[in-house]
Every structure is written in C-alpha cells, then in structure tokens.
Amino acid sequence: MTYISTSSMTSPLRSSILNAQSALTQAQTEVSTGSYADIGLQLGAGTGQLLSLRSNVDALNTYSQTNAVASTRLSATNTALTAMLSTAQSLSSTVINAQSSGSSTAGLAQAGQGALNGLIGGLNTSAGGQFVFGGTATQTTPIANPSATSNAAATAFQSYLSSNGLSASTLTSGQMQTFLSSPAFTSLFTGSAFSAASSQTMTTQIAPGQTTSTSVTANQGAFQTVAQAYTMLGQFTGDNMSAAAKSLVVSTASGLLSTGIAALTEVQAGVGVTQSAISQANTQISAQSNILSSTATNLDSVDTYALSSQVTQLQTQLEASYSLTSRLQQLSLVNYLTAG
C-alpha cells in the first residue's frame, strides 16, 4: 500500500526554496558589491594572492597617510622659514647701511628685539597639533618664555659689568668683545638654555625602503646664530652704551646675520628637497597602488550583468515555488471528498 501526504510532497519543495533563497541572497550581495560573497569558495588557492594584494595596497595607503602628515608639517615649516629669512635679510640690510653710512644706531635696539620676538614666534609654529620646530618633541613648546633669552642676556651683561667694575657708557670695543665671546653670553644660544626642542629630528619612512628626516629643530645652528645677532642688537645698542661698544656690537651682529642667513637658506633648501622627495614617493605609491588594486579587482570582480539575470530567474523560481507550496498545503481528504 502506498501512502501519499502533503508533508511528503512539500518537504523537498521547502528544501528547494531554502536553497533558492540562499542563492538569491548571495547573488544580490554580489550584484551590490561587485565582488564574490565567498572569496575562498570562488578563488580557492587564489585567495592567498588576493589577500596579499589587498595587504600591499593597505600598506601603501599607510605611507600616503603618513606622508600627508609630514607634508603638512613641512609646509608650515617652510612658511615660517620664509618669514624668518625675510626678517633676517631686512635687518641685515639695515645694519649694513648703518655701518657704511655711520648713521645713528638708535633704531637698531627696537629692530633687533622685534626680530627676536618674530623668530621665537616662528620657532613656536604648530601644525596639526604638533610644534614643527620641536624635533621629536612635537608636543613641547620650543621656547615657552619669549622674553627668557633677552632677560638672561641683560642679566649676564650686568653681572659682567659689576664683576669687572665697568660701566656700559665707557666700555671699550675690546671689553665688549670679551663679553660677547664669553660662555656667559654664548651659552644662552645653545641647547636647553635656548630651546626645549629635541635636537633629534623626526624620521619618516615615506616609501618602501625610503626613509628621510621630515622635521626641523629649533636647536639647529641657523636659529641660534640669528637669535644671537638679534639679541646683541636688541640689548647692546641702546643710548647707554659707549660708541665703541655699539660699533663692535653692530659689526659682530652683521657677521652673525650673514652666517645665519646662509644657514637658514640651507635649512629651507633641505626642507624643499624633502618635500620634493615626498611628492615623488606619493606619485610612485599611487601608481603601485593602482596596479595592485586593479589586479585585486580583476580577481575578485563578478559579472554583475549575468548575476542580475540570475537574480531575476531565482526570484521567478521562488515565486512559483511559493505558489505551489501554498496549493499543496491546501490539499486534504476533506477538500477532496467535498469536491467529489
């Protein structure tokens, strides 16, 4: 005797519907993403190659992000250096004119102090939450007390005069030279006495196998040299100084400015070289990333046109299955006898 039930007829149909629903979900996902829903199933041994390609692209993108931070820092550095050079060159011209014409040095004290303030402001430049002249100490203000250098120089000078029984108004050029050459004055422009910046610059790997310095530190000699010249002019060219002492100060400051300008120019040129290197590295990284991304896309891409047709077919199949299942569920002996 053979038994027939609606349950036995609908069970295989339910299984078919579940399979079709799963296939439809996968096809719809692949159409929307353009990639395989199950990479391992589709690519097999090729999965490792795809993952390696994606990993390399991610690594290249990391270089690009790091380079963007370095570029922002270097751009701010370059802007500050341009202003520093302009100030130094302008003051140098003023000093040279004062020397050659024998004109009054009355305005040099104010100009020197103003230039020093501008230099300190430039060295305290920040970008992206980092002090660009801090070296590796990016979170520390290079020169927290703008008046510290001037005050220390004035104190050292008064100590020199007192300890030697001298007066500013009667100083000889030799006596002034002795003070300007002494550690009591020159040490104010070295190391931590001048700046809280780290003497070590930041190093960045801008591309695979390519590392370069991507920052400048306030402890570099260029800044210390011009700061020394500015301090001399700001502190020791006032009306209370002897003519001989002022002449020596102006002459010494002029030489330091010349040296400092050359050094600042060299620092700025180094920044420009680094900016160029980063730009070239970014170009190479972009080209490599495009090639790798294209290769990965070719491995992982699906035929969205064919899948769209498959989605339509599966939807039609499911609708027919739903309708047939509904009819089978309505079959019963009572309905059969009633119909009879």
Side-chain angles (χ1 to χ4, degrees), residues 47-59:
T47 302
Q49 180 186 2
L50 177 61
L51 294 178
S52 178
L53 288 169
R54 287 179 174 175
S55 176
N56 288 335
V57 170
D58 289 341

Side-chain angles (χ1 to χ4, degrees), residues 92-319:
S92 178
S93 296
T94 300
V95 170
I96 291 173
N97 289 336
Q99 283 181 291
S100 61
S101 64
S103 60
S104 172
T105 59
L108 291 182
Q110 183 177 357
Q113 188 59 52
L116 180 62
N117 293 339
L119 174 68
I120 292 173
L123 292 176
N124 286 339
T125 296
S126 63
Q130 298 181 337
F131 288 102
V132 301
F133 290 96
T136 56
T138 59
Q139 300 303 310
T140 302
T141 306
I143 304 177
N145 183 359
S147 61
T149 299
S150 298
N151 292 341
T155 299
F157 184 58
Q158 289 304 317
S159 177
Y160 169 70
L161 294 178
S162 298
S163 61
N164 291 282
L166 302 173
S167 170
S169 61
T170 59
L171 276 181
T172 66
S173 60
Q175 290 168 334
M176 192 70 213
Q177 181 63 64
T178 297
F179 170 72
L180 295 179
S181 302
S182 69
F185 180 69
T186 59
S187 64
L188 299 177
F189 307 94
T190 59
S192 59
F194 177 66
S195 164
S198 167
S199 295
Q200 183 178 356
T201 59
M202 296 186 68
T203 300
T204 304
Q205 188 171 2
I206 62 175
Q210 185 178 1
T211 301
T212 187
S213 175
T214 55
S215 76
V216 176
T217 168
N219 283 342
Q220 288 180 233
F223 309 116
Q224 296 170 348
T225 299
V226 293
Q228 190 170 352
Y230 293 160
T231 303
M232 285 181 184
L233 295 171
Q235 293 297 313
F236 311 128
T237 58
D239 293 337
N240 62 324
M241 297 293 294
S242 68
K246 283 194 286 188
S247 177
L248 186 282
V249 167
V250 171
S251 175
T252 304
S254 180
L256 287 173
L257 282 173
S258 179
T259 301
I261 288 170
L264 285 174
T265 301
E266 186 175 348
V267 171
Q268 188 171 41
V271 170
V273 169
T274 302
Q275 288 178 307
S276 178
I278 290 177
S279 178
Q280 293 176 7
N282 284 340
T283 299
Q284 295 174 355
I285 287 171
S286 179
Q288 292 174 1
S289 180
N290 289 338
I291 292 173
L292 294 177
S293 295
S294 177
T295 303
T297 299
N298 290 337
L299 285 174
D300 190 26
S301 293
V302 298
D303 186 342
T304 55
Y305 180 79
L307 280 173
S308 296
S309 298
Q310 183 181 348
V311 167
T312 300
Q313 293 173 358
L314 287 169
Q315 288 173 333
T316 300
Q317 178 185 333
L318 281 171
E319 289 173 1

Side-chain angles (χ1 to χ4, degrees), residues 34-83:
S35 301
Y36 293 120
D38 190 333
I39 298 174
L41 178 64
Q42 296 295 330
L43 299 183
T47 302
Q49 180 186 2
L50 177 61
L51 294 178
S52 178
L53 288 169
R54 287 179 174 175
S55 176
N56 288 335
V57 170
D58 289 341
L60 290 174
N61 288 338
T62 298
Y63 286 120
S64 296
Q65 294 167 4
T66 301
N67 288 350
V69 174
S71 293
T72 298
R73 181 168 59 245
L74 290 170
S75 179
T77 302
N78 190 52
T79 298
L81 284 170
T82 297

